[in-house]
Amino acid sequence: MEDIKRVAEIIKERGNVVAFTGAGISVESGIPTFRGAQGLWERYDPDEYAHISSFLRNPEKVWMMLREMAQVIFQAKPSPAHEALSELEKMGYLRAVITQNVDGLHHLAGNKNVIEYHGNHRWLVCPSCREKTPFTQDVLGIYPYPRCERCERALKPDVVFFGENIPFDAMIRANEEAKSCKVMIIIGTSGVVYPAAEIPYISKSQGAVIVEMNIERTPFTNSITDYFFPGSASTYLPQIVRLLS
Ligand code: OAD
């Protein structure tokens, strides 16, 4: 409790907070993580299902997993941690959320400045002509997969597959926010996927206080984290909001 009070004081003094989020913030929304015992990559080999060359070679196979992911995402609601980040933005403390998540839950919670580093699963994009269309529930009924109306290619969710580049705009904006924030809160990420995992190191190198919330320790914990909160972000973030209210 002492540490959470201290972090609330730091946020009050410094303001200018950026949150860097991963799959752990959406666990209580009903979306499993990628790594770990219940993780998506335990059931689906990412080389076979998450690499862009696998998608282009066999979209029908990859769409089996994408359909499952989409069903989970469509049912998910923001967690207390998402809601707390939205409150922190409304209160003027949180300047941006940089998320690796593709579930769109930060937007649904009401955050306005959200940088989706790995894209968004609620949109479809044509890998050939880059035309984008909303990924709505009815797309799940199109077999074996939806096609681009313009060029007939298999559409993919507008998310970054392994082997693809990070969207340029997201990368630039994320780097700017990381450089200029005074407090970075890292939430529910294993910190092993690059270049996303570089972001907290950029903030640390510019003097930001690093706060981390995770049920397990990560590569950040012993290297750059100043305040580590072991457990669910849905426990700690609402406490911070209450202390600042
Ligand atoms: P991971 O699945 O690698 O890590 C999830 C993290 O959340 C782990 O460190 C868990 O300990 C933590 N966690 C689980 N439940 C939690 C809770 N209730 N509160 C707080 N933390 C909790 O997911 P990411 O780090 O997000 O990339 O994965 C990074 C990228 O790898 C993803 O964006 C995705 C994946 O391949 C792409 O799709 C390009």
Side-chain angles (χ1 to χ4, degrees):
M1 191 60 192
E2 276 316 300
D3 270 359
I4 208 82
K5 279 190 186 153
R6 180 72 197 116
V7 165
E9 277 164 19
I10 290 170
I11 291 175
K12 201 165 198 166
E13 281 160 21
R14 296 193 146 213
N16 199 344
V17 180
V18 167
F20 175 61
T21 66
I25 196 170
S26 297
V27 165
E28 280 158 45
S29 299
I31 304 177
T33 57
F34 293 95
R35 297 170 184 81
Q38 311 297 321
L40 195 70
W41 299 154
E42 277 300 304
R43 290 188 298 122
Y44 293 102
D45 177 352
D47 279 344
E48 275 180 58
Y49 286 90
H51 202 283
I52 187 62
S53 53
S54 318
F55 178 84
L56 296 174
R57 207 167 39 241
N58 193 347
E60 183 167 353
K61 177 175 168 179
V62 174
W63 261 99
M64 286 184 337
M65 178 196 75
L66 295 175
R67 218 172 250 117
E68 180 185 317
M69 263 183 92
Q71 264 154 354
V72 173
I73 287 173
F74 287 149
Q75 284 167 19
K77 299 274 180 305
S79 67
H82 290 106
E83 307 280 7
L85 288 182
S86 171
E87 276 306 307
L88 284 178
E89 189 184 69
K90 284 191 199 110
M91 292 163 90
Y93 292 112
L94 184 77
R95 214 182 49 206
V97 178
I98 304 169
T99 188
Q100 298 163 87
N101 299 343
V102 296
D103 52 36
L105 290 177
H106 289 297
H107 283 297
L108 272 187
N111 278 97
K112 301 282 181 259
N113 192 17
V114 182
I115 301 168
E116 293 178 315
Y117 206 79
H118 288 159
N120 188 322
H121 212 273
R122 294 171 194 259
W123 284 86
L124 296 170
V125 65
C126 172
S128 181
C129 72
R130 306 309 295 177
E131 174 87 352
K132 288 188 190 182
T133 47
F135 187 169
T136 50
Q137 194 95 33
D138 51 319
V139 171
L140 297 177
I142 303 172
Y143 286 89
Y145 45 77
R147 288 175 186 274
C148 177
E149 284 186 2
R150 276 178 22 186
C151 59
E152 286 289 294
R153 296 282 297 274
L155 292 173
K156 66 181 266 295
D158 189 17
V159 302
V160 177
F161 278 50
F162 289 110
E164 287 191 298
N165 291 328
I166 304 300
F168 188 64
D169 178 59
M171 195 166 209
I172 300 289
R173 283 172 62 209
N175 284 349
E176 277 169 6
E177 296 292 2
K179 268 189 208 152
S180 54
C181 71
K182 299 284 181 233
V183 181
M184 166 155 284
I185 312 181
I186 308 170
I187 304 162
T189 175
S190 58
V192 297
V193 173
Y194 280 81
E198 279 168 10
I199 289 167
Y201 295 99
I202 296 173
S203 301
K204 181 73 175 183
S205 73
Q206 300 300 309
V209 174
I210 308 291
V211 178
E212 184 179 13
M213 297 171 187
N214 198 313
I215 57 170
E216 63 179 19
R217 298 176 79 81
T218 71
F220 304 123
T221 318
N222 290 330
S223 57
I224 55 168
T225 298
D226 297 299
Y227 294 91
F228 181 70
F229 295 94
S232 163
S234 286
T235 309
Y236 299 114
L237 285 173
Q239 283 182 36
I240 291 179
V241 170
R242 274 195 297 276
L243 288 165
L244 289 169
S245 295

